[in-house]
Amino acid sequence: MFKTRKSFHVLLSTLLMGSVIAGCSTKENTASSSDKPAAATDNKANDTTPIKMTFFDKNTGDAFTNDVAKEITKRTGVTIEIQQPTGNPSEKLNLMLASSDLPDLVLMDRGDIVSKYIAAGAIIPLNDLIAKYGSNVQKMYGDTLKQTRFTDGKNYYLSNWYGPENEPVFGINMRKDWLKQIAPDKAEGGKAFTADEFEALLKDFKTKLGKVDGKDVFPMSFNGENMGAVLGTFKGMWGMRTYFEENGSLKYDVKDPKYKEMLLYLNKLYRQGLIDPEWPVNKKQTWEQKISNGLVFASPGAYWDFGTPNGVLKKAGGPEKQLYPYKLVGPGVDPAKTTLGPKSSLGWDAIAITKTNKNPERTMKLIDFLASEEGQYLLMWGIEGVHWDKKDGKHTPRPEVLQGFKDDWDNYAKKTGIRKWTWFVKNGKGSDGTPFDLPGRYQRNEIDQMALKNLSDTVWETAAYDNLGPAGGTPDALVSQKISDIMSQTITKVIISKTEADASALFDKMLADMKAAGDEKVEKIMNDNYKKRMDLWK
């Protein structure tokens, strides 16, 4: 969604992707009766007496102590104890579910894990709470509430980074200074590269600029830990989508004839020595280090995923040393019909109230404030009179705030709280025309501007196709996982095959293995779920 950027410093990924859980006692979670005014006892939603709530946010573990956090507490009476992820957030979410050791609020990926929490009764329906106390939620979310209902017609979570936004995602990211030396007519953007042109470009680079200080520079390298972004880039180049649709039926994407063509193209590049031979074992940190050290010319993925190495390159040699995103177009594909920009208007994350929350009314009041336009500007812009001012009816950031994000995004967000707590975030602009996302959308940096120039026409809506597979924990889910394993393991082998014939044979065997494992049964579930979703959205 993709997730605007989720490292955003994207998505999606960015894009593409636990915590030491301390149980919250009744004393911590509830203000004592002697502290409560009589009126507040009668209407919990209007109660602003001090209260503490625990919140597991898979995206951050920082203490809730910065300026924005203090202002939220001042406005709502709620102090939030962030339960810090110390390992794999997915593993922690499963552990919390199994043990029923739940926080008051939980932020997780939309999809299978949410379905597990719903099936276990670990999170509560929000419909009645929204109807009574969520006027801002209703106004801001609109039809998104209808489209994020569960199959029983109830809302169990609120989306994060939701709403339509014509923002690019994937591209082929290339060092602009080197690109200017071998393809000066395309370095400034606005012109796409065909598959043949890109292959020739990589060869030209290897011949002319393939060594720096005696070290080999890889024409192209991949983040081996994020193959979703790698394959998403090349799928987009060929105009492929989440599924292969044939005669009105959804099938696995690898069944699209263009998928095999795409992998054989990558295999050809690999056999010619144009792809980093170590890419299958590249961890994210290794991949970033190679780019930061000037050892990579090009790499596929969401443009915001290059933030860290680009920052190093820019600091060392200026903006043109960075990797900028460009468009690739597959053979016979209309450049306007590439699908490099998959975006779901239903958001990246799900935020839910758990069954152990002793104060759901107070929690919904907190949510309603944060989801409101006022709350969004507090979360994403900071405090009026401190970080921004209202001038001529518009939110106007103070110069030092913009500079703070330019100088050191992560530390400035941590210090001030601006864009640190990205909860219930809506894409787009507020009523005065200024974007809710101050650091990400108010002043676009040179990388963003290139992405918008080259890739804005590649964006497409994925919401209808998200999470159509079997429910987690079912026998069908195990079949689906087996098929996914067959694909992921084989695709790597296809790309690194020694001959085109070997690559082709491996791909054909993959399709046969998928069929033997029961892929048609899983496809039937996908199509049934798709139909149910379309009926639910009517």
Side-chain angles (χ1 to χ4, degrees):
M1 240 35 323
F2 331 145
K3 331 222 131 135
T4 264
R5 55 195 79 164
K6 273 192 65 180
S7 356
F8 258 16
H9 243 34
V10 264
L11 241 223
L12 196 224
S13 322
T14 233
L15 244 149
L16 352 99
M17 63 101 256
S19 142
V20 177
I21 303 297
C24 182
S25 69
T26 303
K27 181 178 179 181
E28 288 178 322
N29 197 265
T30 313
S32 67
S33 58
S34 60
D35 292 334
K36 288 185 179 180
T41 304
D42 295 332
N43 189 350
K44 292 182 180 180
N46 291 326
D47 186 3
T48 57
T49 54
I51 188 172
K52 181 184 287 186
M53 294 182 187
T54 51
F55 195 152
F56 177 85
D57 179 346
K58 74 178 186 66
N59 297 324
T60 185
D62 289 2
F64 195 71
T65 55
N66 53 45
D67 291 344
V68 169
K70 290 175 183 176
E71 186 68 15
I72 291 171
T73 299
K74 177 182 175 182
R75 304 282 286 276
T76 66
V78 179
T79 298
I80 296 174
E81 178 186 316
I82 303 294
Q83 297 189 331
Q84 183 176 15
T86 56
N88 185 314
S90 296
E91 292 178 2
K92 192 61 186 180
L93 284 161
N94 283 316
L95 179 61
M96 289 192 300
L97 181 61
S99 65
S100 292
D101 186 7
L102 301 166
D104 295 311
L105 285 154
V106 59
L107 183 151
M108 51 192 154
D109 286 321
R110 286 197 317 111
D112 187 51
I113 187 65
V114 177
S115 298
K116 288 182 181 179
Y117 267 67
I118 294 171
I123 54 179
I124 65 172
L126 303 178
N127 303 67
D128 290 344
L129 289 169
I130 291 172
K132 292 179 181 178
Y133 312 117
S135 58
N136 289 309
V137 168
Q138 295 176 62
K139 178 181 177 182
M140 294 289 277
Y141 278 80
D143 285 345
T144 302
L145 289 175
K146 180 170 70 174
Q147 295 180 336
T148 53
R149 289 177 296 171
F150 193 55
T151 53
D152 61 5
K154 297 178 182 178
N155 290 99
Y156 288 87
Y157 67 87
L158 290 172
S159 294
N160 207 27
W161 296 108
Y162 69 98
E165 186 180 41
N166 193 48
E167 284 287 325
V169 183
F170 300 133
I172 188 69
N173 299 269
M174 295 185 274
R175 275 272 300 253
K176 188 177 179 183
D177 58 339
W178 288 338
L179 183 59
K180 286 179 74 172
Q181 295 182 53
I182 53 178
D185 59 319
K186 291 192 174 182
E188 297 304 327
K191 297 179 181 179
F193 291 86
T194 66
D196 288 342
E197 286 173 337
F198 184 61
E199 179 183 353
L201 182 73
L202 295 180
K203 290 179 180 177
D204 203 16
F205 174 83
K206 185 176 182 180
T207 301
K208 297 178 179 178
L209 303 170
K211 283 188 179 292
V212 172
D213 297 330
K215 295 182 180 180
D216 288 333
V217 178
F218 305 114
M220 181 162 59
S221 186
F222 301 159
N223 176 0
E225 285 190 310
N226 191 3
M227 284 304 291
V230 174
L231 295 173
T233 300
F234 290 100
K235 279 179 60 178
M237 176 180 174
W238 262 265
M240 290 183 276
R241 297 177 181 259
T242 309
Y243 296 105
F244 173 47
E245 190 165 353
E246 186 176 47
N247 300 323
S249 180
L250 302 179
K251 298 182 178 182
Y252 279 100
D253 58 357
V254 294
K255 295 185 179 183
D256 188 328
K258 292 183 290 187
Y259 204 105
K260 183 176 183 180
E261 180 183 347
M262 173 194 83
L263 289 185
L264 292 180
Y265 173 74
L266 289 175
N267 172 249
K268 180 169 66 168
L269 298 183
Y270 181 81
R271 287 186 285 108
Q272 293 179 96
L274 303 177
I275 300 177
D276 175 5
E278 298 175 340
W279 75 261
V281 295
N282 274 349
K283 301 293 185 183
K284 178 183 177 182
Q285 186 176 14
T286 305
W287 170 76
E288 288 184 334
Q289 286 175 344
K290 288 179 177 180
I291 296 173
S292 298
N293 292 335
L295 300 178
V296 176
F297 167 57
S299 186
Y303 69 93
W304 57 79
D305 283 341
F306 295 79
T308 298
N310 269 347
V312 174
L313 292 169
K314 183 177 181 178
K315 186 175 182 180
E320 293 204 342
K321 296 286 186 184
Q322 301 174 104
L323 278 71
Y324 288 71
Y326 297 85
K327 182 195 288 189
L328 290 180
V329 182
V333 178
D334 182 342
K337 293 184 179 180
T338 54
T339 52
L340 290 151
K343 297 280 286 187
S344 174
S345 61
L346 302 188
W348 295 83
D349 309 313
I351 306 175
I353 299 175
T354 69
K355 66 178 181 181
T356 56
N357 186 311
K358 298 295 192 295
N359 295 276
E361 297 90 351
R362 283 290 302 273
T363 306
M364 182 51 67
K365 181 176 176 62
L366 169 70
I367 290 172
D368 195 58
F369 169 68
L370 295 177
S372 71
E373 184 164 309
E374 182 182 8
Q376 293 291 284
Y377 278 112
L378 173 58
L379 288 166
M380 305 298 278
W381 282 61
I383 302 166
E384 183 175 10
V386 177
H387 304 113
W388 60 272
D389 302 288
K390 209 67 174 294
K391 294 182 179 179
D392 299 323
K394 289 183 177 292
H395 289 75
T396 305
R398 294 194 170 181
E400 63 269 21
V401 172
L402 296 175
Q403 192 62 45
F405 278 100
K406 287 180 181 178
D407 292 342
D408 192 338
W409 179 300
D410 290 340
N411 282 326
Y412 193 75
K414 186 173 184 177
K415 175 185 175 182
T416 62
I418 301 171
R419 208 182 189 270
K420 188 63 187 176
W421 317 114
T422 53
W423 300 327
F424 314 102
V425 173
K426 184 174 185 177
N427 294 321
K429 299 178 180 180
S431 57
D432 68 355
T434 55
F436 288 126
D437 184 358
L438 171 65
R441 298 289 182 264
Y442 188 80
Q443 285 186 350
R444 309 306 292 263
N445 64 34
E446 60 275 5
I447 304 296
D448 289 24
Q449 289 175 28
M450 185 70 86
L452 292 168
K453 182 178 183 179
N454 290 336
L455 300 162
S456 288
D457 64 349
T458 70
V459 179
W460 63 283
E461 175 63 67
T462 71
Y465 306 102
D466 294 345
N467 309 311
L468 292 178
T474 63
D476 291 325
L478 295 178
V479 175
S480 178
Q481 184 59 53
K482 183 177 181 180
I483 293 166
S484 295
D485 292 342
I486 290 170
M487 289 190 294
S488 61
Q489 292 164 11
T490 307
I491 284 170
T492 297
K493 293 177 182 177
V494 171
I495 295 173
I496 64 174
S497 292
K498 292 182 179 180
T499 68
E500 181 177 344
D502 288 345
S504 180
L506 275 171
F507 186 87
D508 293 343
K509 183 177 184 301
M510 177 186 73
L511 295 181
D513 290 345
M514 289 170 60
K515 185 172 183 178
D519 67 344
E520 291 177 349
K521 183 179 181 181
V522 176
E523 287 175 340
K524 184 180 185 305
I525 294 171
M526 293 173 181
N527 281 278
D528 289 345
N529 287 339
Y530 179 74
K531 184 179 184 303
K532 290 175 184 176
R533 179 172 296 174
M534 293 300 97
D535 291 341
L536 189 66
W537 286 7
K538 288 180 181 177

